[in-house]
Amino acid sequence: KAVTRAKKLEYKTCFQPGGVRNGAAAQGRPRNRFEQAPLYVAVLTYVGFGIVTLFGYFRDFLRALRLEKCHIAQERQELKEFVPLYQDFENFYTRNLYMRVRDNWNRPICSLPGPVFDLMERVSDDYNWTFRLTGRTLKNVINMGSYNYLGFAENNALFLTTVAEAVRGYGVGTCSTRQEMGNLRIHEELEQLVAEFLGVESAMTFGMGFATNSMNIPALVGKGCLILSDELNHTSLILGARLSGATIRIFKHNNMQSLERLLRDAVCSGQPRTHRPWRKILIMVEGIYSMEGSLVCLPEIVALKKKYKAYLYLDEAHSIGALGPTGRGVIELFGMDAKDIDILMGTFTKSFGAAGGYIAGKKELVDYLRSHSHSAVYASAMSPPVTEQIIRVIKGIMGRGGTNEGLRRVHRLMENTRYFRRRLREMGFIIYGNEDSPVVPLLLYLPAKVVAFSRAMLEKNIGVVVVGFPATPITEARARFCVSAAHTRDMLDKVLDALDEVGDALSIKFSRQKFSPRSELYDGTDFELDS
């Protein structure tokens, strides 16, 4: 009992201030941080959205009186009686809020999107309804927004020799599915390499990362099954769950009490009305949550899934290659066995500088998906040069070919990530997530500060990604930085100096070191973690 009680106390502090994650391999590792903003910031954020909304209604009134030109596409007169294609608020938000700040997105890049890139300058003469290029190019803009975690999105001819040979040998496309005439030798080589890299029996690759989730989940679960999904899961997971026809229930982000309540209720009560047992219970989580920068509580979730005999689907799109001493993702970071996760998913679009995704696990699972997955049966096979690019990156991380370049980049990424996050906290910014996560959300909150921040950083030759409502909660607009192993210390220092200056100018250093209730865990734990 004393040991059990000690484990429960350790679990309670898993992601609380001063706490550490469970597991011997994770002892002393940093926790997920969600610092709470001062109350006045939340109030001003709501006031800001309220003012913009009021002005939007006023401008719609002027458009109705034909005192202001309406640039947005409208239904033809003969279709006025038809049901509108879009919801009214979606149209309202686009024409009155998004259009005012549209210049901060979809900026045209005209070079390799590596640690720096060249940007084509554009201006608008009609308040962002249309843009025109000036002919001027902004050179060597520091790229702080791409998912190029290990810097393998590169054009160094010496590194890309095997990729060039794949183009000469196979061309650039297969024009067929894997089941017909598109199954190449390098596809099978890649799948064997992925399975070996992850430490599982088998793996299957797909040409599109988004479809790896959205097209494979419906093949795994269906009517009569239950999906328990983290509230912050990616859209591809949400779409796949909806397409499956399974019942979906949401648990609070990384909250094990919320998840266990749903599991206990599912096991005890069964399906609604009939109370028959669920055919399957599938827990869906991500390794790194791409908007929060937080890591999954993997040891606790594995303990719960074993206790309640559920299946676990782990999306490592952002964590594979970017976490762990040898880049094998969140499983390695926590010192766990890959065989404890039923379905391993990941993408090649981030750390591997390529495209596509994979599903890995037991051989029976992969063989089943080969004949039942829509993405496997109907989608074109992965492009040969993309396939060879992934092979060369995985071999580089594994230390094959007489080089440890991949492993060096994994360690460099970890150093850059921790340095960048530490400096931001010292400056007084509120940042979310885990110290090991290369995804670094910097909270801006107020809508006016979001656009001012993006424009000010571009003036300093730094490209950033800003995100606001409805992609985030209305009071949590943010800039999302993605750290790369390709960033030099001088680049990061330049970015940090610019952030320090812009942060003072815009008054966005909100940190008071008070932690949000989001990360708190409660006393309802009644399960033991595996030793």
Side-chain angles (χ1 to χ4, degrees), residues 412-527:
R412 179 63 180 272
L413 174 63
M414 181 176 63
E415 294 171 1
N416 285 351
T417 296
R418 292 182 176 179
Y419 173 74
F420 191 70
R421 281 181 168 274
R422 176 177 59 81
R423 287 288 306 278
L424 287 178
R425 287 200 312 273
E426 291 172 354
M427 291 178 187
F429 292 105
I430 292 180
I431 58 174
Y432 277 179
N434 191 281
E435 292 301 291
D436 291 324
S437 171
V439 179
V440 187
L442 187 152
L443 276 292
L444 302 172
Y445 299 105
L446 285 76
K449 293 185 185 293
V450 172
V451 295
F453 178 84
S454 177
R455 292 166 181 166
M457 293 297 287
L458 186 60
E459 289 177 0
K460 297 182 178 296
N461 233 39
I462 299 169
V464 300
V465 172
V466 289
V467 190
F469 179 81
T472 68
I474 195 169
T475 60
E476 293 186 11
R478 66 199 64 178
R480 184 181 63 180
F481 296 92
C482 292
V483 182
S484 172
H487 288 136
T488 64
R489 185 58 61 90
D490 288 341
M491 289 180 187
L492 294 180
D493 286 337
K494 180 180 178 181
V495 173
L496 289 165
D497 291 341
L499 283 170
D500 195 22
E501 184 178 339
V502 172
D504 289 332
L506 298 181
S507 300
I508 54 177
K509 296 181 178 180
F510 299 117
S511 179
R512 298 294 185 273
Q513 294 300 314
K514 293 181 181 179
F515 289 87
S516 167
R518 177 187 298 187
S519 61
E520 291 181 4
L521 300 175
Y522 305 97
D523 295 335
T525 310
D526 60 358
F527 65 91

Side-chain angles (χ1 to χ4, degrees), residues 311-343:
Y311 295 98
L312 178 57
Y313 187 109
L314 176 61
D315 180 344
E316 289 220 73
H318 288 267
S319 54
I320 193 66
L323 291 180
T326 61
R328 285 169 169 81
V330 70
I331 297 175
E332 183 183 44
L333 184 71
F334 283 104
M336 302 188 68
D337 189 347
K339 295 181 176 62
D340 288 333
I341 288 81
D342 302 286
I343 306 149

Side-chain angles (χ1 to χ4, degrees), residues 40-50 444-447 473-477:
Y40 78 89
V41 175
V43 173
L44 290 176
T45 301
Y46 280 114
V47 170
F49 271 104
L444 302 172
Y445 299 105
L446 285 76
I474 195 169
T475 60
E476 293 186 11

Side-chain angles (χ1 to χ4, degrees), residues 158-177:
L158 295 177
F159 293 159
L160 299 175
T161 303
T162 57
V163 178
E165 291 174 354
V167 175
R168 284 191 289 266
Y170 296 102
V172 295
T174 62
C175 302
S176 181
T177 67

